[in-house]
Amino acid sequence: MNYDQSALDLHKQYAGKITTTLRDTSELTKEKLSCYYTPGVAAVSRAIADNPSLLPVYTWTNNLVAVISDGSAVLGLGNIGPKGSMPVMEGKALLFKHFAGIDSVPITLDVHTPDEIVATIKAMASSFGAINLEDIAAPQCFEIEERLKAELDIPVFHDDQHGTAVVTLAGLINAMKVTNKKLADCKIVIVGAGAAGTAITKLLHLYAKPQIVAVDSKGIIGSARTDLNDAKKLLLDYIDTTASGSLEDALTDADIFVGVSQPGLLTPELVAKMANNPVVFALANPTPEIMPDIAKQAGVAIIATGRSDFPNQVNNAIAFPGIFRGALDNKVQKITDQHKIAAAETIASLVDTPDAEHIIPSVFEERLVPAIAKVIL
């Protein structure tokens, strides 16, 4: 199937993917209009002005997420700008609505510094119940999220970081069951130190404190490196800082490879350097670091990718609808690391009998959203 042409045709046919509808679909009478608009709405506005906590009681902010990007790191397309990012933001809104019944508004910003983005989002935050940051380049995305989490009283979640990390952890929990290993005893190599790689590193460290070796385009990230930016320096608290050398050095006797980097990076020769029954999460999209058929021929015990046409898809949509559903329903102001771990454990538990091709539930698993929402407290 030619997905490119089909996508163009569908988007043109419907002129986008989302719209708004009325919650009250009964007849709009003159009396009801007088309540919903002038003069009756003034009473609602006064009530909220007197008690701002009533905003989600009387308005759609109880179920409303802003999906916000500056278009600087869109899918595998890179910095294509705010207009180019709109179809992806609309797609995120579609997923929110379809899987979790959450209303969302895609917003693309034509500002790009942390100060500008933070100021813009803060200025509009009172219109929403939560903020989903999307496709904002590293390292700016780290500062932007942390500042907004500190300065806003509604949940802020950068899905490129944490959605990927949650589903990766869920998959590894089940991969350990299949390979009869303990995550805490594993050597894990994470290739790619951008948004997703950083979040995965931090969450795996918090969950199990395994030996983690981080690798970027210049080799192993360690304390001996003098070329690290501030974001990579922060990684030193979570990784093996004594390690040095190349990707080949990092992969020697490694139990797990997690790639959020570039296509074709992991070769059969490199797989041969790994420990017995290695686990590979090759998450580069649309072409992974190693294709599943090649990985299996090379001796990989479990292979996961970001693609829907192979088993074990690491898809953010498995996690974020339930996380936001729980945050909105349970009036959670901050989505914490403990929430992420609880979500990962819940996702893993929904695979009834894990095996090499079933360590992650399908995005269409009906139990996902309600189960995750229950643990976001």
Side-chain angles (χ1 to χ4, degrees):
M1 182 176 180
N2 185 338
Y3 286 109
D4 289 350
Q5 189 57 53
S6 295
L8 289 167
D9 292 343
L10 275 173
H11 282 75
K12 185 176 181 180
Q13 178 181 349
Y14 293 102
K17 296 185 282 285
I18 61 172
T19 186
T20 59
T21 59
L22 300 179
R23 291 191 179 184
D24 182 352
T25 57
S26 61
E27 181 183 358
L28 183 60
T29 64
K30 181 179 179 181
E31 291 75 18
K32 190 181 290 185
L33 182 59
S34 295
C35 292
Y36 281 146
Y37 200 52
T38 184
V41 73
V44 185
S45 293
R46 283 195 300 269
I48 295 170
D50 292 340
N51 183 0
S53 68
L54 292 176
L55 180 67
V57 175
Y58 288 125
T59 73
W60 71 331
T61 56
N62 58 72
N63 194 50
L64 186 63
V65 174
V67 179
I68 301 178
S69 178
D70 71 338
S72 59
V74 180
L75 298 176
L77 303 175
N79 186 357
I80 62 172
K83 290 184 178 179
S85 71
M86 179 56 82
V88 182
M89 301 310 110
E90 277 194 357
K92 196 64 173 282
L94 179 153
L95 296 173
F96 268 121
K97 191 65 174 180
H98 179 81
F99 290 114
I102 294 173
D103 299 316
S104 56
V105 177
I107 298 170
T108 59
L109 305 179
D110 198 8
V111 295
H112 302 283
T113 69
D115 284 345
E116 291 173 319
I117 292 174
V118 168
T120 303
I121 293 175
K122 285 180 65 177
M124 69 175 76
S126 61
S127 298
F128 299 94
I131 305 292
N132 180 100
L133 301 175
E134 192 80 12
D135 293 346
I136 299 174
Q140 293 93 327
C141 62
F142 304 125
E143 177 185 347
I144 290 165
E145 185 192 34
E146 289 306 311
R147 286 174 59 182
L148 288 172
K149 285 169 63 177
E151 297 175 33
L152 296 179
D153 60 357
I154 58 175
V156 177
F157 188 81
H158 185 206
D159 188 49
D160 300 318
Q161 291 187 62
H162 310 301
T164 307
V166 166
V167 182
T168 297
L169 174 56
L172 289 176
I173 289 171
N174 281 338
M176 296 300 94
K177 298 174 186 176
V178 177
T179 57
N180 293 313
K181 296 182 180 182
K182 292 183 178 179
L183 198 58
D185 297 333
C186 287
K187 177 183 177 182
I188 303 174
V189 175
I190 298 178
V191 183
T198 298
I200 292 168
T201 300
K202 291 180 178 180
L203 195 63
L204 291 180
H205 172 82
L206 179 65
Y207 184 76
K209 292 184 172 56
Q211 179 190 5
I212 299 176
V213 179
V215 180
D216 64 10
S217 61
K218 297 181 180 179
I220 293 173
I221 298 172
S223 55
R225 289 266 299 269
T226 59
D227 59 345
L228 302 179
N229 61 27
D230 289 343
K232 291 179 182 179
K233 288 177 182 177
L234 293 177
L235 272 181
L236 297 177
D237 292 333
Y238 309 98
I239 62 176
D240 182 351
T241 58
T242 64
S244 61
S246 65
L247 175 59
E248 181 177 350
D249 296 321
L251 283 171
T252 301
D253 296 325
D255 300 280
I256 298 168
F257 169 95
V258 178
V260 278
S261 52
Q262 61 186 19
L265 184 76
L266 184 63
T267 64
E269 292 75 21
L270 288 173
V271 171
K273 299 284 184 180
M274 298 179 70
N276 291 332
N277 296 319
V279 173
V280 169
F281 278 41
L283 306 182
N285 263 323
T287 305
E289 286 81 359
I290 187 169
M291 294 300 288
D293 55 340
I294 298 174
K296 291 176 182 177
Q297 291 171 8
V300 170
I302 298 174
I303 173 75
T305 72
R307 293 170 59 134
S308 61
D309 53 347
F310 295 111
N312 301 326
Q313 184 190 19
V314 177
N315 186 338
N316 292 10
I318 292 169
F320 76 79
I323 291 173
F324 275 91
R325 182 74 278 160
L328 290 168
D329 289 349
N330 300 319
K331 299 178 175 57
V332 169
Q333 291 187 332
K334 310 289 182 186
I335 297 171
T336 66
D337 289 334
Q338 287 67 39
H339 288 134
K340 298 168 203 170
I341 288 174
E345 291 177 331
T346 299
I347 292 167
S349 73
L350 294 178
V351 181
D352 298 321
T353 308
D355 61 45
E357 294 196 345
H358 300 90
I359 58 169
I360 300 170
S362 165
V363 69
F364 295 104
E365 167 60 62
E366 294 181 353
R367 296 175 295 170
L368 269 173
V369 169
I372 296 170
K374 286 180 181 178
V375 301
I376 309 300
L377 299 171

